[in-house]
Amino acid sequence: MFRTALRNVLAHKARLLMTVLAVMLGVAFVSGTLVFTDTLGNAFRNQSAKSYDNVAVSIETYAGDDEKTPGIDDATLEKIRGLDGVASATGRVNGFAGVADPDGKLIGNGWSNTGANFAPGKDGKDSQYVFTDGSGPTKNGTVALDEDTASKGKYRVGDPVRVATNGPVKEYTLAGVFTTEDGAVNAGGSLVLFDTATAQKLYLKPGVFQNATVSAEPGVSDRKLLDEVEPLLPKDATAQTGKALADKQAKDIESGLTSLNTMLLAFAGIALFVGVFLIANTFSMLIAQRTRELALMRAIGATRRQVKRSVLLEAAVVGTLASVIGFLLGLGLATGLRSAMGVMGGKIPAGPLVVSPTAVGSAFAVGILITVLAAWLPARRAAKIAPVAAMSSVHATASVKSLVVRNSIGGVITLLGSAGIVGGAATGGTSGRQLVAAGAFFALIGVIILIPLLSRPVIALVRPLLKKVFGVSGKLASQNAVRNPRRTGATASALAIGLTLVTGISVLGVTLGQAIDKMTTDNIKADYMVTMASGDSLDESALTALSKADGVAALSPQQAAWFEVDGDYFSASGVTPGDVEQVFSLTTESGSLASLEDGQVAVGSKTAKKHGWKTGDTLPVKFDDDKKGELKVGATYKENEFLSPFVIPKEMADAHSSSTRSEIREIWIKADGGASKANEQSIVNALGDNPAMSVMDRQDIRDMFGGFINTALNIMYGLLAMALLIAVLGVVNTLAMSVFERQQEIGMLRAIGLDRGRVKRMIRLEAVVISVFGAVIGVGLGVFLGWAIGRTLSADIPGYALVIPWDRLGIFLLLAALVGVLASLWPARSAAKLNMLTAIKTE
């Protein structure tokens, strides 16, 4: 039986090719994902361990510019240096620093652009950095840049470099260029080194460090040193051995990669799920074509178990072959992903490609297991073929009883899934989304079971149109499409699954995008918003400079503040009274916003209603600086998504800030005559052409909030493309085998006058009908899922309203038709080339 199975595989190479391709693509995705994340994790773990090679004890604080978090001062560092067994103790301070390129644009991505202090030892070197040119900055007015940043900015030692921190841009002289394993640089950012005194002045205060590293003399235990260092540290400081910190970072890296791994494997799972239908369809058709052969085997003594085992062995051989090729492709995919990250700006530490036993085992287990499981039902049906069937080459059709049972089960599962989706949409929140996900799974399974039943009435709707437009070719195509409903259903199911996901994501993405866009346009009157590229707070000097800029009609910051009212904490927005109404759309529901000029506050109407506050009430508060006072409610307003529940005068926010630095998150500007190039240039000039400050007009603001949705959509489309590719292979496979089965029929059609052109048209139309049928099912179910998931998010998204992207849905249906045309090229050509006499004699 093993020889028979192997012979059947070799005898049907072309027919099994599509199955091999489907499994191969899924295995490539699985193995590529596992190898890529293993390689990434290993590289970053090695980098982390290398960073702490010479660190016995690492000390961290949450030092800020207030007295609550004092950090590590010079005196503490000297005490640590005086301990027995300490070779050195180095203080570190860091924060945001952005470097301008020759065009004045920021080098790097903002959030990972950092600045730090150069801390040389007795030998004049800092062990964390290796200089390739020049030397470290040891005096005020000099800096050093990492090699990538210097290259991007075309800077050489001695050149002037414009560097922006949270304050105005300053010009420094480049003292040196270095290489580093710093994670921020590897993430596509930049690193600027200052002398220690300058870094402390910029980021903290003179004589104070945020963190410190302690190295031990040879033979001294890290644990012993840690026990001696801990009693000398301030209360807010935490200390651990370098090895413990490296291990912790390794776990953090692994945890961070888990989500990426899970997402990629989920899409690989979708692709393999789609592949199951192709595999099952392939083996079902092969067995149908070999009915006489299998029955004869039964007649000469083969048992049912042997026949079943023979089919499963065929599947195992195909799965093994596909797994080998898929695994090799996966290695190429992992290498490609690694290179792609480098092209996109992410720098992965050097290291070998890691091929773990888990990756190898998972790839082969998935490939072989999926193929064998998909072939199990066809194998079971093959084993039931009675020896008497050898007298007929026609495979027994499904009984009425089996179809009734199938449709009944499908109907129940579909109703159960639909109820879960509707229930989840009504529940909302996280629990609602979980219910929708469970319902979607059952609904999809139920619809797949019911697709053969749905194929006849749905395809019957287009039959008159096909007959009218394409004549006899159209009539035959529509009849062929429903001749074997199970086969049509299995083929259409693959497309339906892919398009269900694509459509659901599209409906959800477009709906959320429009809601965010509406939120932006409904809440903002300002023409420009100024922020720090790093996401940090703006310096007070930026507000002062903008107030003097030409073309500025109104100006208000959105300054963060906090206070406590009756035991509850509330956030507040410090704004400029009088100007705030010109930059934000604020609808006053009671009182007047003019009361802000008198030191009163405005409260969002929902917050006021929840706590029973009204205009004229006096609220006892405890400010962020621990001072107590009273605030009078001068107005209530309809909540604005860009402002906190409380709106207070900026002077009040300044007076009670616990930080010496400003907490200005954004500055909003209304310009004379609206947005224009002249007004934008005036703002840029007022800010000193600072590369670290982003000046955005309304369209930029909308793009910023909605851009991540479009990016996510594009990523999803790319990942789901593989599932759709497998679906296309399924259509090709079905048509190719259908043509093989119908050789005699096609020969007869050719003999009675159907020319080659109309034979090709018949096959193409059959492919289009099956593809569009699957697409219609997928689009319908996808819209339903998109609506349900959107409803679970609607409570958190103001202005939410379902948007059905008819244009995209139309494109999906057109693409499905195109898929049918492309998938039919080879089968149609094969059908048209059949010799009619040979075909008529074929059994």
Side-chain angles (χ1 to χ4, degrees):
M1 295 305 292
F2 177 76
R3 287 198 302 271
T4 302
L6 191 59
R7 180 182 59 79
N8 283 325
V9 171
L10 297 174
H12 304 110
K13 293 187 287 292
R15 298 182 222 169
L16 291 169
L17 176 62
M18 303 304 172
T19 299
V20 170
L21 286 172
V23 179
M24 179 187 74
L25 288 172
V27 170
F29 214 143
V30 170
S31 58
T33 295
L34 293 174
V35 171
F36 174 64
T37 51
D38 285 346
T39 299
L40 214 60
N42 183 67
F44 282 116
R45 279 192 295 271
N46 289 342
Q47 180 197 55
S48 175
K50 186 178 178 182
S51 299
Y52 294 99
D53 272 349
N54 298 317
V55 175
V57 177
S58 175
I59 305 165
E60 297 180 351
T61 74
Y62 297 98
D65 53 3
D66 54 33
E67 296 302 322
K68 294 179 181 178
T69 52
I72 305 167
D73 56 23
D74 284 330
T76 302
L77 213 53
E78 282 301 320
K79 289 179 183 178
I80 293 171
R81 290 189 183 110
L83 293 172
D84 289 339
V86 171
S88 66
T90 306
R92 302 288 180 186
V93 60
N94 57 69
F96 169 75
V99 180
D101 66 13
D103 297 324
K105 303 298 182 182
L106 183 68
I107 298 174
N109 47 32
W111 60 268
S112 61
N113 290 344
T114 56
N117 65 308
F118 176 68
K122 295 177 182 178
D123 59 357
K125 297 180 180 179
D126 189 327
S127 60
Q128 288 202 7
Y129 313 105
V130 177
F131 279 81
T132 58
D133 193 12
S135 60
T138 55
K139 60 181 180 180
N140 187 26
T142 61
V143 294
L145 298 177
D146 68 90
E147 199 170 43
D148 288 347
T149 302
S151 175
K152 290 173 185 175
K154 299 178 181 177
Y155 291 116
R156 295 181 179 180
V157 172
D159 287 349
V161 180
R162 296 177 70 243
V163 180
T165 53
N166 285 355
V169 181
K170 293 183 180 179
E171 194 170 275
Y172 298 84
T173 300
L174 184 61
V177 177
F178 59 89
T179 60
T180 177
E181 295 294 332
D182 187 274
V185 176
N186 287 330
S190 62
L191 178 59
V192 182
L193 294 182
F194 302 91
D195 64 280
T196 296
T198 300
Q200 288 175 326
K201 185 178 178 181
L202 285 171
Y203 301 124
L204 212 53
K205 50 191 173 184
V208 177
F209 298 95
Q210 290 160 321
N211 308 312
T213 55
V214 180
S215 60
E217 292 180 347
V220 177
S221 163
D222 292 357
R223 184 71 235 181
K224 176 178 178 295
L225 213 55
L226 176 64
D227 293 338
E228 293 179 357
V229 166
E230 281 184 320
L232 304 177
L233 302 178
K235 291 181 180 179
D236 76 311
T238 57
Q240 54 189 319
T241 63
K243 184 179 183 308
L245 187 58
D247 291 343
K248 179 179 178 297
Q249 287 197 359
K251 287 183 180 178
D252 291 342
I253 290 166
E254 189 173 339
S255 176
L257 290 173
T258 298
S259 56
L260 173 65
N261 205 22
T262 302
M263 182 184 75
L264 292 175
L265 287 176
F267 284 99
I270 292 167
L272 287 167
F273 184 54
V274 172
V276 165
F277 294 94
L278 192 158
I279 298 163
N281 222 10
T282 301
F283 277 95
S284 293
M285 288 186 285
L286 284 174
I287 288 164
Q289 293 166 13
R290 289 161 47 202
T291 300
R292 174 173 290 183
E293 175 190 329
L294 293 172
L296 284 172
M297 288 177 65
R298 290 290 317 282
I300 62 173
T303 64
R304 287 187 175 184
R305 182 174 295 180
Q306 285 178 311
V307 171
K308 183 177 178 181
R309 193 182 301 147
S310 172
V311 175
L312 292 178
L313 277 171
E314 286 183 50
V317 171
V318 171
T320 303
L321 176 63
S323 297
V324 170
I325 301 171
F327 182 74
L328 295 175
L329 282 176
L331 296 181
L333 178 64
T335 305
L337 285 172
R338 185 172 179 172
S339 301
M341 284 191 69
V343 172
M344 291 186 292
K347 185 180 177 183
I348 301 175
L353 200 66
V354 177
V355 183
S356 66
T358 302
V360 178
S362 299
F364 280 85
V366 164
I368 297 171
L369 191 63
I370 289 292
T371 310
V372 170
L373 285 176
W376 184 79
L377 276 176
R380 187 169 174 268
R381 284 198 293 269
K384 288 184 175 181
I385 297 174
V388 73
M391 298 174 66
S392 172
S393 62
V394 181
H395 190 41
T397 57
S399 66
V400 174
K401 180 181 177 183
S402 69
L403 291 174
V404 170
V405 171
R406 176 189 176 118
N407 294 333
S408 299
I409 293 173
V412 170
I413 294 175
T414 302
L415 286 174
L416 182 65
S418 299
I421 293 171
V422 173
T427 303
T430 304
S431 57
R433 285 190 287 277
Q434 292 172 346
L435 195 55
V436 169
F441 175 77
F442 285 106
L444 198 58
I445 295 296
V447 168
I448 288 168
I449 295 173
L450 287 176
I451 270 186
L453 176 67
L454 296 172
S455 63
R456 289 186 182 276
V458 173
I459 293 175
L461 293 174
V462 297
R463 186 177 297 165
L465 178 64
L466 289 172
K467 183 178 178 182
K468 184 176 181 180
V469 176
F470 300 102
V472 68
S473 295
K475 180 181 178 181
L476 290 171
S478 60
Q479 290 174 344
N480 290 334
V482 293
R483 177 183 293 185
N484 190 330
R486 283 187 173 178
R487 184 185 301 170
T488 297
T491 305
S493 294
L495 272 172
I497 294 167
L499 281 173
T500 294
L501 298 171
V502 170
T503 302
I505 290 168
S506 296
V507 170
L508 186 62
V510 171
T511 298
L512 294 179
Q514 183 158 309
I516 290 173
D517 189 63
K518 187 175 185 296
M519 178 184 74
T520 304
T521 54
D522 288 355
N523 288 286
I524 297 172
K525 289 182 179 177
D527 296 308
Y528 296 101
M529 177 181 75
V530 177
T531 62
M532 288 294 293
S534 62
D536 292 335
S537 299
L538 289 153
D539 191 74
E540 191 76 30
S541 61
L543 192 63
T544 304
L546 288 170
S547 65
K548 300 174 184 177
D550 294 335
V552 174
L555 180 74
S556 177
Q558 202 282 83
Q559 182 168 332
W562 298 267
F563 46 71
E564 182 182 341
V565 181
D566 295 330
D568 293 326
Y569 284 92
F570 295 91
S571 62
S573 294
V575 300
T576 303
D579 283 5
V580 65
E581 303 99 313
Q582 297 183 58
V583 296
F584 292 110
S585 297
L586 291 175
T587 303
T588 306
E589 297 196 349
S590 67
S592 172
L593 290 172
S595 62
L596 291 172
E597 297 183 17
D598 300 324
Q600 297 179 23
V601 301
V603 187
S605 54
K606 290 181 182 177
T607 303
K609 184 178 180 181
K610 180 180 178 181
H611 293 85
W613 300 330
K614 58 184 182 299
T615 302
D617 286 354
T618 301
L619 310 178
V621 300
K622 181 181 178 182
F623 292 100
D624 191 42
D625 60 357
D626 291 334
K627 293 181 181 178
K628 295 183 179 181
E630 292 184 339
L631 296 179
K632 186 175 182 180
V633 179
T636 60
Y637 63 93
K638 184 179 178 181
E639 263 81 355
N640 185 298
E641 296 304 315
F642 292 88
L643 293 170
S644 299
F646 277 83
V647 172
I648 64 176
K650 182 182 183 303
E651 290 74 13
M652 184 183 294
D654 289 335
H656 295 287
S657 174
S658 61
S659 173
T660 57
R661 292 180 184 269
S662 163
E663 291 290 341
I664 299 173
R665 302 301 186 195
E666 307 114 21
I667 298 175
W668 298 86
I669 303 166
K670 186 70 176 176
D672 286 325
S676 67
K677 287 185 178 180
N679 283 333
E680 184 173 342
Q681 191 59 50
S682 175
I683 293 169
V684 170
N685 292 340
L687 294 170
D689 196 14
N690 191 324
M693 292 186 184
S694 300
V695 179
M696 291 180 277
D697 60 20
R698 286 196 191 187
Q699 188 58 51
D700 292 331
I701 296 167
R702 288 148 91 174
D703 292 343
M704 178 184 72
F705 286 105
F708 75 94
I709 292 177
N710 292 328
T711 302
L713 277 176
N714 291 333
I715 292 172
M716 296 292 184
Y717 289 156
L719 292 171
L720 288 170
M722 189 176 68
L724 292 174
L725 175 60
I726 293 174
V728 172
L729 295 177
V731 178
V732 175
N733 213 20
T734 297
L735 290 173
M737 292 197 169
S738 178
V739 167
F740 179 83
E741 286 180 359
R742 287 154 42 198
Q743 287 185 64
Q744 194 175 58
E745 175 189 318
I746 292 170
M748 289 295 295
L749 289 171
R750 291 276 289 111
I752 61 175
L754 196 69
D755 59 30
R756 289 184 175 182
R758 283 188 286 182
V759 169
K760 285 183 179 180
R761 191 179 304 130
M762 176 185 72
I763 302 298
R764 288 189 191 123
L765 288 173
E766 183 180 345
V768 170
V769 167
I770 293 173
S771 298
V772 173
F773 167 61
V776 168
I777 298 295
V779 166
L781 190 54
V783 169
F784 183 38
L785 288 177
W787 164 80
I789 297 172
R791 292 299 305 168
T792 66
L793 298 167
S794 59
D796 302 320
I797 302 174
Y800 173 87
L802 178 67
V803 179
I804 298 178
W806 296 108
D807 55 342
R808 298 195 189 193
L809 300 189
I811 291 171
F812 294 159
L813 293 176
L814 287 174
L815 287 175
L818 180 62
V819 160
V821 172
L822 294 175
S824 67
L825 291 178
W826 173 47
R829 186 169 177 270
S830 299
K833 288 175 66 178
L834 283 175
N835 182 290
M836 65 181 76
L837 294 178
T838 304
I840 290 170
K841 291 189 295 181
T842 300
E843 294 196 17

